[in-house]
Amino acid sequence: MDFAQARTNMVEQQVRPWDVLDMRVLDVMEDLPRERFVPEGREGLAYADTEIPLGQGESMLAPKVVGRLLQALAPGRSDMALEIGTGSGYVTACLGRLAAHVDSVERIDGFRLAAKARLDTLGIDNAQLRTGTVTPDWSPPGRRYDVISCNGAMAEYDPFLQARLSLGGRLFVVVGTPPVMEALLIIRVAEDSYRTEKLFETSLRPLVGFERKPEFVF
């Protein structure tokens, strides 16, 4: 398989038609070898317009969702980024190429180790990966972030992450339950004020602990 041509086709036929026009984002997605981030034996699916299961309830985001996510967050070269859900490390790698530094948290240590090895192979050394399960009580490293990427859904929006945004910082998160799920961009416009932009409808697996609560039946 010609992976270089597959990357070009992915960008031109999937990502760009989904209104991703930021050239920095398009260049990074066309350059990064996505096939190195998929489970062994599934390299042929690396550039398909679909999520790719990673096991243990996690999956790689579809390429066009990654493109919209990155464009909305607009990571700058001096930005500090926080990622919730390292997964395969593909979004981590994209953020690493676009931002100054990435702190990434993954609940499954095996995934973290595999992602770290992939990043090392590609020479992406500005990402620090940690093992942990994110909850509303979770406290990230003692800094604020310009960019926060939440790579899983919340059935109901919990604002605990937005307090970690710097002034002007952006948080990407998908909220809702199938079939109605919406990608949101939360922007900190003042110390105690936030603006929410609705981006697009999609479907994502929920973050562990942020699933829909079971309804009580009498």
Side-chain angles (χ1 to χ4, degrees):
M1 183 174 179
D2 184 345
F3 289 123
Q5 184 60 52
R7 278 195 293 280
T8 298
N9 293 344
M10 175 191 73
V11 167
E12 296 301 325
Q13 298 172 14
Q14 298 175 43
V15 182
R16 193 188 291 270
W18 233 44
D19 294 327
V20 179
L21 303 177
D22 186 317
M23 287 307 301
R24 291 185 69 222
V25 172
L26 295 174
D27 287 347
V28 163
M29 294 189 71
E30 189 162 359
D31 181 64
L32 275 174
R34 187 174 160 91
E35 71 274 6
R36 297 193 190 180
F37 292 87
V38 303
E40 187 175 356
R42 296 193 175 183
E43 290 83 359
L45 295 175
Y47 299 97
D49 183 16
T50 186
E51 290 188 7
I52 301 175
L54 299 173
Q56 301 194 54
E58 295 202 13
S59 60
M60 285 183 72
L61 300 179
K64 63 187 181 186
V65 173
V66 174
R68 287 292 295 272
L69 175 160
L70 294 171
Q71 178 170 266
L73 288 174
R77 298 186 189 280
S78 62
D79 282 352
M80 304 295 290
L82 172 65
E83 178 187 37
I84 309 300
T86 311
S88 70
Y90 179 71
V91 174
T92 322
C94 292
L95 289 170
R97 290 280 179 89
L98 294 166
H101 179 81
V102 185
D103 284 327
S104 186
V105 184
E106 169 56 51
R107 67 184 180 89
I108 300 170
D109 195 50
F111 285 178
R112 179 189 65 83
L113 292 171
K116 178 68 164 57
R118 293 169 182 137
L119 296 175
D120 287 347
T121 298
L122 292 171
I124 299 173
D125 58 3
N126 62 338
Q128 185 168 0
L129 279 52
R130 297 177 172 85
T131 302
T133 299
V134 175
T135 69
D137 297 325
W138 175 80
S139 181
R143 62 162 61 108
R144 289 191 178 186
Y145 293 91
D146 306 294
V147 165
I148 300 178
S149 178
C150 197
N151 297 347
M154 297 181 185
E156 297 180 1
Y157 179 64
D158 190 303
F160 76 105
L161 284 172
Q162 68 185 32
R164 290 290 177 171
L165 288 172
S166 61
L167 189 59
R170 290 84 63 199
L171 162 66
F172 175 91
V173 62
V174 173
V175 177
T177 56
V180 183
M181 304 179 77
E182 194 159 35
L184 305 177
L185 185 69
I186 315 295
I187 304 168
R188 189 169 203 161
V189 295
E191 193 63 29
D192 57 355
S193 181
Y194 301 85
R195 184 175 79 246
T196 299
E197 296 181 3
K198 297 181 178 180
L199 299 176
F200 56 92
E201 293 183 355
T202 188
S203 182
L204 245 62
R205 299 189 184 204
L207 292 169
V208 171
F210 294 88
E211 306 91 340
R212 183 176 183 178
K213 301 296 187 293
E215 297 181 1
F216 185 77
V217 179
F218 291 96

